[in-house]
Structure formats: C-alpha cells, structure tokens
Amino acid sequence: MTSTIPAPVTRTAEGSALQAVLLDMDGTLVDTEGFWWDVEVEIFAGLGHTLDDSWRHVVVGGPMTRSAGFLIEATGADITLAELTVLLNQGFEDRIGRTLPLMPGAARLLAELAEYEIPTALVSASHRRIIDRVLTSLGPQYFALTVAGDEVARTKPHPDPYLFAAAGLGVDPARCAVVEDTATGIAAAEAAGCHVVAVPSVQPITPAARRTVVTSLEEVDLAFLRGLMTEMR
C-alpha cells in the first residue's frame, strides 16, 4: 500500500543544526546485502539459470521490482515479476529467521541517538513485511518512523522515501544526516537534499559535496554527525 506524506511532528534535536538521522537498513545497519544475493542465486538455480557475479553490483541497494526485473530479463527465466517477488521475500525471511548479524557499530550508534533523543528514522527499499521482521532484532524503540519501499509511490533512487521521512519527523531534509551503503540509496538521499554518510558495503563509493565516506559505522557517532552539519554553515 502506498502512503501519503504524514503530517509532521514537532520533535527536533535541540542545540544542534542536526535535526534528524535517517538510516538505511540492509548493508547499513544489518549485514544482509549478501543474504539477498544468496537468495537470488538459489532461486534462479532452481529455475535452471546461473547468475553472473557481476550482476550483484546492478541489483544491490535498489527496489525489488528493479532488481527482480533485471534478473528476469538478463536470464530469460520463465517466471513473472510477481512470482519472483514472493519467492525473494520468503527466501529472505527464512534466512533472517536463522541469523541476523548487525553491522559493526550499529547497536552503539542507535543507542547513542536514543540516549540524546535525536529523531531517527529507518528508510529502506525493502518491503514492510521484511522491515517488521528486522525491527525485532534492531529494536523498534530506536525509530520514531520507519519507511518501507512498498509504502511510497517511488522508492530509491528517487528522493521520495527520504522526503517522506523528513516530513514525518517535521524536519528540514537539508538538516538531516542520512547513513547509506549503496549508490542507489545515496542518490535518493542526495536528491532529497540530505547530507550523506556513506558506509560502502558491496561497491566502492567516492566522496563528494555533502557526502562523507567512512569505512565502518564504528567511525560514526553523534559528535561526528553534528560536525557534518557544522561544516555546512
């Protein structure tokens, strides 16, 4: 179901130009980008097709419709987009039911943002059913708002998910720090006017204006995020 932009709330981060932190999920907070690829490989193997490892960089970080559509076209597999979407979601849910590793520094960062009452949103291209499963491990209490890929008219790389999150938190996108791991997510955040902290997972990311690249979330804390906003003044 597609949602409209919610009415803003008044909660803001006092004493800093940083108004909110918006975080991607797969590959950023949870080490699951490889899970999606493994599921895709298994499903297509069952259909009689071998996925080229170079395609992994094409499908990572994007909406499921784009990734699944690409793989169907590339392989010529006899399966519809709707059928493949069901299989992908089910395969992923089965995997996260067995294990869900958090990225290094993720738990500490979420706890710090909560301690200092920084408005925080989870913004993912994954569907709501997947987000709700992952939240049981991440901790739903850490997020004032969560945005799923199947709840916006256009998901990443379009800016809609991040504009939706900023509006829901009642903050200025330009005063939001977004933490992302893929080029697709970064494109969405930058199109929304946010400052991006890139933590590359599968593909390299280069620094750019309003984009800071780090090697791990262990380098990111509240002081670091506030410093990014201070540099913009």
Side-chain angles (χ1 to χ4, degrees):
M1 181 178 67
T2 300
S3 301
T4 56
I5 293 179
V9 296
T10 57
R11 189 173 177 226
T12 58
E14 299 296 336
S16 170
L18 175 68
Q19 292 184 334
V21 178
L22 316 177
L23 300 126
D24 173 54
M25 187 177 76
D26 294 302
T28 299
L29 292 177
V30 289
D31 191 8
T32 51
E33 288 291 11
F35 285 18
W36 283 110
W37 179 248
D38 290 344
V39 169
E40 289 159 350
V41 168
E42 289 178 6
I43 290 171
F44 278 89
L47 296 170
H49 298 275
T50 300
L51 300 188
D52 190 314
D53 196 60
S54 65
W55 296 344
R56 182 173 181 177
H57 298 286
V58 179
V59 301
V60 68
M64 185 177 295
T65 52
R66 187 196 72 181
S67 301
F70 169 83
L71 292 174
I72 291 172
E73 182 176 355
T75 61
D78 184 18
I79 189 171
T80 67
L81 183 60
E83 291 169 340
L84 180 55
T85 297
V86 170
L87 292 177
L88 287 171
N89 275 322
Q90 187 58 58
F92 185 79
E93 284 189 76
D94 290 344
R95 284 182 176 269
I96 64 177
R98 297 195 294 267
T99 179
L100 184 58
L102 269 60
M103 298 298 286
R108 187 264 314 149
L109 176 60
L110 290 175
E112 182 180 16
L113 295 174
E115 178 183 358
Y116 288 92
E117 299 185 338
I118 305 300
T120 303
L122 185 69
V123 183
S124 176
S126 291
H127 290 188
R128 170 55 58 187
R129 61 184 284 190
I130 297 297
I131 288 180
D132 288 345
R133 286 287 301 274
V134 174
L135 278 172
T136 61
S137 294
L138 277 177
Q141 71 274 14
Y142 291 121
F143 304 99
L145 178 70
T146 62
V147 180
D150 56 343
E151 294 175 340
V152 289
R154 302 182 306 172
T155 190
K156 304 172 186 180
H158 298 286
D160 304 35
Y162 284 111
L163 293 175
F164 185 95
L169 295 175
V171 297
D172 179 359
R175 293 300 178 184
C176 293
V178 168
V179 186
E180 273 278 4
D181 71 306
T182 67
T184 300
I186 290 168
E190 291 180 342
C194 306
H195 192 117
V196 176
V197 177
V199 192
S201 59
V202 175
Q203 56 193 149
I205 303 293
T206 57
R210 297 177 65 84
R211 182 196 309 165
T212 303
V213 180
V214 298
T215 59
S216 167
L217 283 182
E218 293 181 317
E219 299 176 43
V220 181
D221 57 16
L222 182 54
F224 176 89
L225 296 172
R226 283 177 166 164
L228 298 178
M229 298 298 133
T230 301
E231 293 170 5
M232 290 165 47
R233 291 179 177 179

